[in-house]
Amino acid sequence: MRHLVHMLLFATLLAVFFATMYRPRGARLRFGLAVWGALVGSALGLALLMYPFT
C-alpha cells in the first residue's frame, strides 16, 4: 500500500512540475491532470502486464 501512495505522490509532484514549466496559466490544470493520468495509468497498466510473471 505504501508503494501506491509513493507512486501517486511522485506522479502528482511530477505533473505539477511539468504543468507549471510547460503550459501557460490557463491550460495548466488540464495539462497537469492529463500528465497525472498518463503517469498513473501507464504504471498501473505495466503492473497488470507484469502480474502473471510473478
Side-chain angles (χ1 to χ4, degrees):
M1 183 67 178
R2 191 173 3 171
H3 182 77
L4 179 66
V5 172
H6 287 151
M7 181 192 71
L8 293 174
L9 179 64
F10 179 71
T12 303
L13 292 173
L14 202 60
V16 167
F17 173 76
F18 282 134
T20 56
M21 291 296 290
Y22 295 118
R23 290 292 183 238
R25 193 179 244 310
R28 285 183 185 165
L29 180 62
R30 185 172 172 181
F31 182 73
L33 288 175
V35 169
W36 187 85
L39 288 170
V40 173
S42 63
L44 292 177
L46 186 62
L48 286 173
L49 285 175
M50 293 188 311
Y51 182 71
F53 300 108
T54 59

